């Protein structure tokens, strides 16, 4: 293969990677704000790519949504591993929460129950939860986290703050969110002023949202 052909091939690869990045960013924005029923055409329009380019990379809308969920969970796992590498339990846990909120870990929560979940997705979910359990257990051992806070409390907190993705927020909105997140983090610290109301969230309730209620016609995968 000539040098000219190599340059052309590298150029096409770079363009494909750029388009894929644009599609994923646009998809996250569209489905986070409009839910799983949003048309794929809205993603293509926001990304500035053709429908053909999008479907060459992702065979269906469901495949695209599953990929988005996997990416979010992989980011959470990386954030948890980085947090566990910190020496201080509280700074690790707080850093994990801030990192997950920053990349919008909960932004795809509206998709719960609307797409088929794969074994790979459940495996990643369990891996992420196990790491979060370790972060919370370490913070409890060091007396930094109030004893009545569970890992699922932290997971729900991240989801609530992450649902409104940073891509849509202006500087003032982002500043308000950071202030509220700081207040929430202070509320997690030991010893806690008052006992938390009600029982802690259950894994059954947390996971049940992602069980597909009924098959969705394949036609819904198309724009």
């Amino acid at each position: 293969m000539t040098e000219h052909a190599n340059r052309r091939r590298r150029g096409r690869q770079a363009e494909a990677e750029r388009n894929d990045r644009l599609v994923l960013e646009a998809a996250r924005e569209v489905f986070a704000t409009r839910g799983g029923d949003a048309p794929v055409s809205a993603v293509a329009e926001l990304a500035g790519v053709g429908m053909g380019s999008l479907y060459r990379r992702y065979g269906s809308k469901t495949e695209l949504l599953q990929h988005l969920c996997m990416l979010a969970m992989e980011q959470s796992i990386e954030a948890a591993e980085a947090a566990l590498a910190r020496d201080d339990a509280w700074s690790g846990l707080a850093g994990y929460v801030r990192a997950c909120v920053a990349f919008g870990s909960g932004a795809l929560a509206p998709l719960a129950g609307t797409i088929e979940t794969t074994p790979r997705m459940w495996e990643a979910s369990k891996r992420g939860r196990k790491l979060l359990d370790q972060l919370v257990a370490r913070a409890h051992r060091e007396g930094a986290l109030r004893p009545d806070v569970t890992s699922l409390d932290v997971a729900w907190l991240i989801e609530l703050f992450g649902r409104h993705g940073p891509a849509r927020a202006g500087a003032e909105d982002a500043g308000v969110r950071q202030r509220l997140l700081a207040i929430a983090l202070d509320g997690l610290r030991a010893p806690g002023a008052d006992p938390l109301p009600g029982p802690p969230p259950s894994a059954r309730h947390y996971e049940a949202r992602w069980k597909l209620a009924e098959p969705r016609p394949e036609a819904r995968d198309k724009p």
Side-chain angles (χ1 to χ4, degrees):
M1 184 178 291
T2 66
E3 180 60 28
H4 177 68
N6 277 329
R7 285 198 301 269
R8 288 182 58 189
R9 181 173 59 84
R10 288 195 295 269
R12 287 195 298 269
Q13 288 175 339
E15 183 179 4
E17 291 171 0
R18 172 184 171 275
N19 286 343
D20 190 40
R21 185 171 63 253
L22 290 173
V23 165
L24 291 174
E25 290 172 355
R28 191 181 187 106
E29 176 72 8
V30 167
F31 294 123
T33 55
R34 299 172 60 176
D37 287 331
V40 177
S41 57
V43 175
E45 181 179 358
L46 184 60
V49 303
M51 290 292 291
S53 296
L54 193 152
Y55 276 120
R56 277 194 296 273
R57 179 65 180 84
Y58 303 99
S60 68
K61 177 177 166 182
T62 295
E63 184 180 331
L64 173 59
L65 292 172
Q66 290 169 337
H67 186 67
L68 283 175
C69 290
M70 277 300 305
L71 286 179
M73 286 187 285
E74 288 168 354
Q75 284 180 296
S76 295
I77 288 171
E78 290 176 2
E81 290 173 339
L84 285 169
R86 293 192 182 186
D87 292 332
D88 180 71
W90 175 255
S91 65
L93 179 61
Y96 168 78
V97 172
R98 291 192 181 98
C100 289
V101 170
F103 64 72
S105 178
L108 298 176
L111 299 180
T114 68
I115 61 171
E116 181 181 355
T117 50
T118 66
R120 185 165 171 255
M121 289 169 66
W122 283 113
E123 182 181 347
S125 175
K126 290 177 181 177
R127 169 65 175 158
R129 288 259 303 281
K130 182 178 179 180
L131 291 170
L132 177 54
D133 285 344
Q134 293 174 16
L135 280 169
V136 167
R138 187 175 68 154
H140 278 149
R141 284 195 304 271
E142 294 190 9
L145 180 66
R146 53 186 296 166
D148 51 356
V149 168
T150 70
S151 58
L152 284 176
D153 287 317
V154 176
W156 279 106
L157 178 69
I158 290 170
E159 185 174 306
L160 288 173
F161 274 92
R163 281 194 180 202
H164 301 288
R168 297 187 306 282
E172 191 169 354
D173 289 331
V176 170
R177 185 166 52 252
Q178 289 303 312
R179 285 177 59 86
L180 295 178
L181 180 58
I183 293 170
L185 285 171
D186 276 349
L188 295 179
R189 300 198 74 157
D194 297 298
L196 294 175
S202 68
R204 179 194 57 77
H205 175 58
Y206 187 79
E207 295 176 355
R209 303 170 300 155
W210 287 92
K211 300 294 177 66
L212 194 61
E214 58 184 25
R216 294 165 64 84
E218 182 64 25
R220 298 290 290 277
D221 274 354
K222 300 301 178 181

